[in-house]
Amino acid sequence: MLKSLISARVLIQGLLGFLIYWLAVKFHINILYIILFGSLLGIVFGKMFCRWICPVGFIMGLLFKLQKDEIHQKTYMYYKAGCPIAWVSGWLNKFSFLKIKNDKEKCIKCGKCDKVCYITSINSDFSLYKPKKEQPFTQYSCSRCLMCIKDCPTNSISVTLFN
Ligand code: SF4
Ligand code: SF4
């Protein structure tokens, strides 16, 4: 169920992004309220707004996908300064109720998670499974794409909320 949801992330982001845009135009919602909403969402989910809701992020992702330029897409995701929502919610990654965990007992060290994650594939200081490396989940850059969960064959990486 969760993996199907992650597979549908781009579609979900497109729909939610359109909804946000439509609501903002229809009800003349001030952009500051949207920034506040996205930032507060960070307390619960961390930097999830960027990859699951943001209409601008949706368009950027689509452009990179059309170019089939994976390296540039990963580099963009890793380094992008983003907007105030990204700054606040990225910082909240350390404290959010949503947490990503790796059960080392189940891990077979296949390396698929590190390959798909744009943080670990660009910066070798980070790893989702290697010992003595920093975990990428709590970093500013992790926008909760959850691809590490989707690609893990043993389900050793999981996400928890309020736990
Ligand atoms: S994808 Fe899963 S099993 Fe493979 S190294 Fe990562 S955590 Fe371990
Ligand atoms: S959710 Fe997983 S794959 Fe995505 S950026 Fe964070 S650690 Fe990397």
PDB file of all heavy atoms in Angstrom, residues 1 8-9 12 23 53 59 78 94 99-100 131 135 137 148:
ATOM      1  N   MET A   1       0.838  -1.215   0.000  1.00  0.00           N
ATOM      2  CA  MET A   1       0.000   0.000   0.000  1.00  0.00           C
ATOM      3  C   MET A   1       0.873   1.265   0.000  1.00  0.00           C
ATOM      4  O   MET A   1       0.697   2.143  -0.841  1.00  0.00           O
ATOM      5  CB  MET A   1      -0.920  -0.034   1.236  1.00  0.00           C
ATOM      6  CG  MET A   1      -1.638   1.265   1.523  1.00  0.00           C
ATOM      7  SD  MET A   1      -2.877   1.636   0.261  1.00  0.00           S
ATOM      8  CE  MET A   1      -3.473   3.207   0.808  1.00  0.00           C
ATOM      9  N   ALA A   8       2.961   6.554  -6.854  1.00  0.00           N
ATOM     10  CA  ALA A   8       2.020   7.541  -7.410  1.00  0.00           C
ATOM     11  C   ALA A   8       2.349   8.965  -6.952  1.00  0.00           C
ATOM     12  O   ALA A   8       1.553   9.876  -7.129  1.00  0.00           O
ATOM     13  CB  ALA A   8       0.599   7.176  -6.997  1.00  0.00           C
ATOM     14  N   ARG A   9       3.536   9.165  -6.377  1.00  0.00           N
ATOM     15  CA  ARG A   9       3.868  10.472  -5.790  1.00  0.00           C
ATOM     16  C   ARG A   9       3.722  11.627  -6.783  1.00  0.00           C
ATOM     17  O   ARG A   9       3.152  12.659  -6.451  1.00  0.00           O
ATOM     18  CB  ARG A   9       5.289  10.474  -5.219  1.00  0.00           C
ATOM     19  CG  ARG A   9       5.657  11.783  -4.513  1.00  0.00           C
ATOM     20  CD  ARG A   9       7.129  11.903  -4.241  1.00  0.00           C
ATOM     21  NE  ARG A   9       7.923  11.875  -5.457  1.00  0.00           N
ATOM     22  CZ  ARG A   9       8.075  12.905  -6.277  1.00  0.00           C
ATOM     23  NH1 ARG A   9       7.496  14.065  -6.025  1.00  0.00           N
ATOM     24  NH2 ARG A   9       8.788  12.796  -7.378  1.00  0.00           N
ATOM     25  N   ILE A  12       0.128  12.403  -7.291  1.00  0.00           N
ATOM     26  CA  ILE A  12      -0.424  13.014  -6.077  1.00  0.00           C
ATOM     27  C   ILE A  12       0.031  14.472  -5.979  1.00  0.00           C
ATOM     28  O   ILE A  12      -0.756  15.381  -5.696  1.00  0.00           O
ATOM     29  CB  ILE A  12       0.002  12.227  -4.818  1.00  0.00           C
ATOM     30  CG1 ILE A  12      -0.628  10.833  -4.836  1.00  0.00           C
ATOM     31  CG2 ILE A  12      -0.379  12.962  -3.539  1.00  0.00           C
ATOM     32  CD1 ILE A  12      -0.068   9.871  -3.807  1.00  0.00           C
ATOM     33  N   LEU A  23      -7.204  26.835  -5.210  1.00  0.00           N
ATOM     34  CA  LEU A  23      -7.753  27.448  -3.988  1.00  0.00           C
ATOM     35  C   LEU A  23      -7.215  28.865  -3.797  1.00  0.00           C
ATOM     36  O   LEU A  23      -7.958  29.778  -3.429  1.00  0.00           O
ATOM     37  CB  LEU A  23      -7.402  26.601  -2.758  1.00  0.00           C
ATOM     38  CG  LEU A  23      -8.162  25.277  -2.596  1.00  0.00           C
ATOM     39  CD1 LEU A  23      -7.576  24.457  -1.456  1.00  0.00           C
ATOM     40  CD2 LEU A  23      -9.645  25.521  -2.369  1.00  0.00           C
ATOM     41  N   ILE A  53       3.384  18.155  -2.515  1.00  0.00           N
ATOM     42  CA  ILE A  53       2.299  19.147  -2.630  1.00  0.00           C
ATOM     43  C   ILE A  53       2.657  20.333  -3.534  1.00  0.00           C
ATOM     44  O   ILE A  53       1.808  20.830  -4.262  1.00  0.00           O
ATOM     45  CB  ILE A  53       1.902  19.686  -1.223  1.00  0.00           C
ATOM     46  CG1 ILE A  53       1.446  18.526  -0.323  1.00  0.00           C
ATOM     47  CG2 ILE A  53       0.796  20.726  -1.327  1.00  0.00           C
ATOM     48  CD1 ILE A  53       1.154  18.919   1.117  1.00  0.00           C
ATOM     49  N   ILE A  59       6.271  21.071 -11.307  1.00  0.00           N
ATOM     50  CA  ILE A  59       6.674  21.494 -12.657  1.00  0.00           C
ATOM     51  C   ILE A  59       8.175  21.272 -12.860  1.00  0.00           C
ATOM     52  O   ILE A  59       8.607  20.752 -13.892  1.00  0.00           O
ATOM     53  CB  ILE A  59       6.283  22.972 -12.906  1.00  0.00           C
ATOM     54  CG1 ILE A  59       4.758  23.059 -12.985  1.00  0.00           C
ATOM     55  CG2 ILE A  59       6.910  23.511 -14.191  1.00  0.00           C
ATOM     56  CD1 ILE A  59       4.199  24.451 -12.907  1.00  0.00           C
ATOM     57  N   TYR A  78      19.384  17.998  -4.324  1.00  0.00           N
ATOM     58  CA  TYR A  78      20.324  18.044  -3.194  1.00  0.00           C
ATOM     59  C   TYR A  78      20.667  19.480  -2.796  1.00  0.00           C
ATOM     60  O   TYR A  78      20.665  19.828  -1.624  1.00  0.00           O
ATOM     61  CB  TYR A  78      21.603  17.286  -3.557  1.00  0.00           C
ATOM     62  CG  TYR A  78      22.560  17.178  -2.394  1.00  0.00           C
ATOM     63  CD1 TYR A  78      22.482  16.091  -1.532  1.00  0.00           C
ATOM     64  CD2 TYR A  78      23.506  18.157  -2.143  1.00  0.00           C
ATOM     65  CE1 TYR A  78      23.345  15.982  -0.450  1.00  0.00           C
ATOM     66  CE2 TYR A  78      24.368  18.066  -1.061  1.00  0.00           C
ATOM     67  CZ  TYR A  78      24.288  16.983  -0.225  1.00  0.00           C
ATOM     68  OH  TYR A  78      25.116  16.887   0.848  1.00  0.00           O
ATOM     69  N   LYS A  94      14.752  17.377  11.410  1.00  0.00           N
ATOM     70  CA  LYS A  94      15.404  16.823  12.611  1.00  0.00           C
ATOM     71  C   LYS A  94      14.396  16.524  13.718  1.00  0.00           C
ATOM     72  O   LYS A  94      14.621  15.678  14.565  1.00  0.00           O
ATOM     73  CB  LYS A  94      16.419  17.832  13.171  1.00  0.00           C
ATOM     74  CG  LYS A  94      17.710  17.901  12.398  1.00  0.00           C
ATOM     75  CD  LYS A  94      18.680  18.821  13.135  1.00  0.00           C
ATOM     76  CE  LYS A  94      20.062  18.802  12.552  1.00  0.00           C
ATOM     77  NZ  LYS A  94      20.143  19.132  11.134  1.00  0.00           N
ATOM     78  N   LYS A  99       9.191  10.012  10.947  1.00  0.00           N
ATOM     79  CA  LYS A  99      10.588   9.581  10.994  1.00  0.00           C
ATOM     80  C   LYS A  99      10.793   8.404  10.044  1.00  0.00           C
ATOM     81  O   LYS A  99       9.906   7.561   9.880  1.00  0.00           O
ATOM     82  CB  LYS A  99      10.973   9.145  12.405  1.00  0.00           C
ATOM     83  CG  LYS A  99      10.735  10.230  13.437  1.00  0.00           C
ATOM     84  CD  LYS A  99      11.861  10.284  14.448  1.00  0.00           C
ATOM     85  CE  LYS A  99      11.600  11.312  15.531  1.00  0.00           C
ATOM     86  NZ  LYS A  99      11.471  12.669  15.079  1.00  0.00           N
ATOM     87  N   ILE A 100      11.974   8.378   9.438  1.00  0.00           N
ATOM     88  CA  ILE A 100      12.336   7.253   8.578  1.00  0.00           C
ATOM     89  C   ILE A 100      13.354   6.427   9.353  1.00  0.00           C
ATOM     90  O   ILE A 100      14.292   6.977   9.929  1.00  0.00           O
ATOM     91  CB  ILE A 100      12.907   7.752   7.232  1.00  0.00           C
ATOM     92  CG1 ILE A 100      11.848   8.587   6.493  1.00  0.00           C
ATOM     93  CG2 ILE A 100      13.340   6.581   6.360  1.00  0.00           C
ATOM     94  CD1 ILE A 100      12.367   9.347   5.302  1.00  0.00           C
ATOM     95  N   PRO A 131      27.597   1.449   8.029  1.00  0.00           N
ATOM     96  CA  PRO A 131      27.919   1.938   9.372  1.00  0.00           C
ATOM     97  C   PRO A 131      28.868   3.138   9.314  1.00  0.00           C
ATOM     98  O   PRO A 131      29.596   3.310   8.341  1.00  0.00           O
ATOM     99  CB  PRO A 131      28.597   0.727  10.039  1.00  0.00           C
ATOM    100  CG  PRO A 131      29.026  -0.158   8.923  1.00  0.00           C
ATOM    101  CD  PRO A 131      28.166   0.130   7.737  1.00  0.00           C
ATOM    102  N   GLN A 135      23.154   9.583   8.547  1.00  0.00           N
ATOM    103  CA  GLN A 135      21.848   9.233   7.988  1.00  0.00           C
ATOM    104  C   GLN A 135      21.293  10.444   7.223  1.00  0.00           C
ATOM    105  O   GLN A 135      21.363  11.557   7.724  1.00  0.00           O
ATOM    106  CB  GLN A 135      20.881   8.847   9.098  1.00  0.00           C
ATOM    107  CG  GLN A 135      21.192   7.513   9.750  1.00  0.00           C
ATOM    108  CD  GLN A 135      20.996   6.334   8.814  1.00  0.00           C
ATOM    109  OE1 GLN A 135      20.231   6.403   7.866  1.00  0.00           O
ATOM    110  NE2 GLN A 135      21.714   5.254   9.059  1.00  0.00           N
ATOM    111  N   PHE A 137      18.090  11.029   6.475  1.00  0.00           N
ATOM    112  CA  PHE A 137      16.688  11.384   6.795  1.00  0.00           C
ATOM    113  C   PHE A 137      16.523  12.721   7.501  1.00  0.00           C
ATOM    114  O   PHE A 137      15.534  13.417   7.304  1.00  0.00           O
ATOM    115  CB  PHE A 137      16.024  10.364   7.741  1.00  0.00           C
ATOM    116  CG  PHE A 137      16.412   8.944   7.565  1.00  0.00           C
ATOM    117  CD1 PHE A 137      16.809   8.178   8.650  1.00  0.00           C
ATOM    118  CD2 PHE A 137      16.350   8.345   6.325  1.00  0.00           C
ATOM    119  CE1 PHE A 137      17.140   6.853   8.505  1.00  0.00           C
ATOM    120  CE2 PHE A 137      16.677   7.012   6.166  1.00  0.00           C
ATOM    121  CZ  PHE A 137      17.087   6.267   7.259  1.00  0.00           C
ATOM    122  N   CYS A 148      13.718   5.581  -0.939  1.00  0.00           N
ATOM    123  CA  CYS A 148      14.533   4.583  -0.229  1.00  0.00           C
ATOM    124  C   CYS A 148      13.641   3.453   0.297  1.00  0.00           C
ATOM    125  O   CYS A 148      14.038   2.280   0.288  1.00  0.00           O
ATOM    126  CB  CYS A 148      15.313   5.242   0.906  1.00  0.00           C
ATOM    127  SG  CYS A 148      14.315   6.318   1.962  1.00  0.00           S
TER     128      CYS A 148
END
